Amino acid sequence: MKSVLNRISHLFFHHSTWKGYWEPLVQAFFPAWRDGLYRARVIENKVLNEKTVQLSLKPQKSWPTHRAGQHIAVTLEVNGKLTTRVFTIASGSNRHNAQQEIRLVVRVKKQGKLTSYLHNLKKGHWVNISSPTGDFTLPTDKNVLMIAGGSGITPFIAMLEDYMQKQRQDCAAVLLSN
């Protein structure tokens, strides 16, 4: 039945899914709702310097947790057009599990189709995000040397955050066992 409705929607209404056809109506109750994406509320938008912003987002409850080093697609409506860019999550999975929050550190390009609009996001605004993807994650059973720079540092920030949390937990377990 679902595939039939999607086919009808595609042929007659120019939407890829039946749910997509109803987006404007659903958005009246759930701002920024989009079929196939998750909603995330902006908790904080912090300018780190003239070229870098830090976004703290609270994804909806059904968003699957990530592993440090993974990335998401962020979709915003810019001048009436949906624009999507991919960013690495700059916070560990422990932050999401404990605080239901993720952090993005983004280099802003003046002529960027999406990044130049990030400074307009205020606390409480909604954005769309994808599920976390990617397999550039920290191996747990090996010694690792990390070297990064520029915007490529964001996966390492997340990995180090989770690693430090694990180290604190391991130290606490040792202290409690003594």
Side-chain angles (χ1 to χ4, degrees):
M1 181 67 168
K2 183 178 177 182
S3 62
V4 171
L5 287 174
N6 287 344
R7 183 79 175 138
I8 290 169
S9 179
H10 183 70
L11 288 172
F12 296 108
F13 305 121
H14 305 289
H15 287 274
S16 59
T17 66
W18 181 246
K19 286 181 180 178
Y21 175 74
W22 296 101
E23 274 183 15
L25 180 63
V26 175
Q27 288 174 354
F29 303 98
F30 301 102
W33 182 87
R34 305 227 181 270
D35 181 37
L37 295 174
Y38 296 93
R39 296 180 334 136
R41 186 180 289 269
V42 176
I43 296 171
E44 181 183 40
N45 187 351
K46 185 176 182 181
V47 176
L48 300 178
N49 62 44
E50 62 192 36
K51 294 181 181 177
T52 312
V53 298
Q54 177 179 289
L55 288 175
S56 295
L57 304 173
K58 183 176 183 172
Q60 68 185 71
K61 291 183 194 284
S62 61
W63 187 73
T65 193
H66 69 289
R67 293 187 324 269
Q70 291 187 305
H71 55 271
I72 57 171
V74 175
T75 301
L76 292 175
E77 189 171 325
V78 176
N79 296 327
K81 180 181 175 187
L82 293 179
T83 305
T84 303
R85 294 293 180 268
V86 176
F87 303 107
T88 302
I89 302 168
S91 57
S93 59
N94 291 325
R95 177 185 296 259
H96 179 251
N97 293 337
Q99 302 170 6
Q100 285 69 53
E101 178 183 319
I102 60 172
R103 181 178 61 228
L104 303 176
V105 177
V106 179
R107 182 170 202 133
V108 176
K109 296 181 181 178
K110 286 184 182 181
Q111 303 303 319
K113 291 183 179 178
L114 186 134
T115 61
S116 63
Y117 292 91
L118 291 179
H119 67 278
N120 294 330
L121 293 176
K122 305 285 185 230
K123 182 177 180 174
H125 280 162
W126 291 95
V127 299
N128 296 112
I129 61 175
S130 67
S131 296
T133 58
D135 57 6
F136 180 59
T137 57
L138 186 63
T140 57
D141 59 344
K142 298 177 183 176
N143 291 329
V144 177
L145 171 65
M146 295 180 175
I147 301 173
S151 61
I153 200 167
T154 53
F156 295 104
I157 294 169
M159 290 176 194
L160 288 170
E161 187 177 287
D162 274 358
Y163 178 78
M164 295 303 292
Q165 177 69 25
K166 176 145 179 27
Q167 292 301 102
R168 284 190 289 271
Q169 290 171 344
D170 290 348
C171 287
V174 168
L175 290 173
L176 291 173
S177 68
N178 287 334

